[in-house]
Amino acid sequence: MELNIKPGEFIISKTDLKGNITYANQTFTEISGYAESETLNAPHRILRHEDMPKLIFKMLWERIQNNEGIYAYVKNKTKNNDHYWVFAYVTPSFDLLGNRIGYYSVRRAPNPNALKVIEPLYRDLLRAERQSSVSASEKHLETLLQQQGMTYDQFVLGLQK
């Protein structure tokens, strides 16, 4: 079953540097089906749906470890194996001295029209990964972006409009 996030609703979580959850708002627990006690200190990947290309998480980790934010469409899995799509913004968190101390993610409902593009794209990326490698998936995405004359950021942000 697919769950939907209501317009104007935000799923918020924070993690430590290893991706273990240190905070989750009430919307996170309601949508994911996990109790707060089950999420605190658990790896954020407990939500990872098997339909998600590894490439998206590779790009995410590269960006946030480089102290940059990233937008991405993500299909998440609930505790009872339902799923829901989000449009996520993930960014590093810093202490007062400027040291990276964790990561912060705000997720909202994706534009339904964006999913008409993202779902087949992710299927193609997954197929490339399974047949060859994450590098093959990355090459597929790079080719698509070159054909459209866009950067990744322009592509995902344009779909959300």
Side-chain angles (χ1 to χ4, degrees), residues 30-48:
E30 288 171 3
I31 297 285
S32 72
Y34 287 98
E36 182 180 26
S37 61
E38 294 175 295
T39 61
L40 290 180
N41 298 311
H44 209 284
R45 69 178 173 269
I46 62 172
L47 302 176
R48 186 175 292 182

Side-chain angles (χ1 to χ4, degrees), residues 91-160:
T91 185
S93 298
F94 302 94
D95 66 14
L96 293 175
L97 299 174
N99 300 306
R100 189 175 56 232
I101 56 170
Y103 307 104
Y104 182 76
S105 179
V106 178
R107 286 146 345 255
R108 61 182 166 164
N111 178 334
N113 291 322
L115 295 182
K116 293 175 186 174
V117 174
I118 292 297
E119 289 182 287
L121 172 60
Y122 281 14
R123 280 193 296 272
D124 290 345
L125 297 177
L126 256 181
R127 190 174 312 114
E129 288 175 12
R130 290 177 178 153
Q131 291 174 350
S132 183
S133 64
V134 174
S135 295
S137 177
E138 190 168 26
K139 181 68 173 159
H140 181 83
L141 180 59
E142 287 171 1
T143 300
L144 172 76
L145 294 173
Q146 286 173 354
Q147 289 171 347
Q148 301 216 0
M150 299 182 179
T151 65
Y152 170 81
D153 293 325
Q154 291 168 329
F155 176 71
V156 296
L157 290 171
L159 289 173
Q160 189 60 16

Side-chain angles (χ1 to χ4, degrees), residues 1-4 31 49 51 75-78 80-85 119:
M1 182 172 91
E2 181 173 351
L3 303 174
N4 293 308
I31 297 285
H49 196 281
D51 290 347
K75 184 176 186 178
N76 283 328
K77 182 170 56 173
T78 66
N80 67 0
N81 289 318
D82 288 337
H83 71 274
Y84 58 100
W85 279 95
E119 289 182 287

Side-chain angles (χ1 to χ4, degrees), residues 56-69:
I56 303 303
F57 296 108
K58 176 183 181 278
M59 291 170 35
L60 184 145
W61 278 103
E62 286 173 354
R63 286 270 191 100
I64 62 178
Q65 290 179 337
N66 199 33
N67 294 337
E68 301 172 17

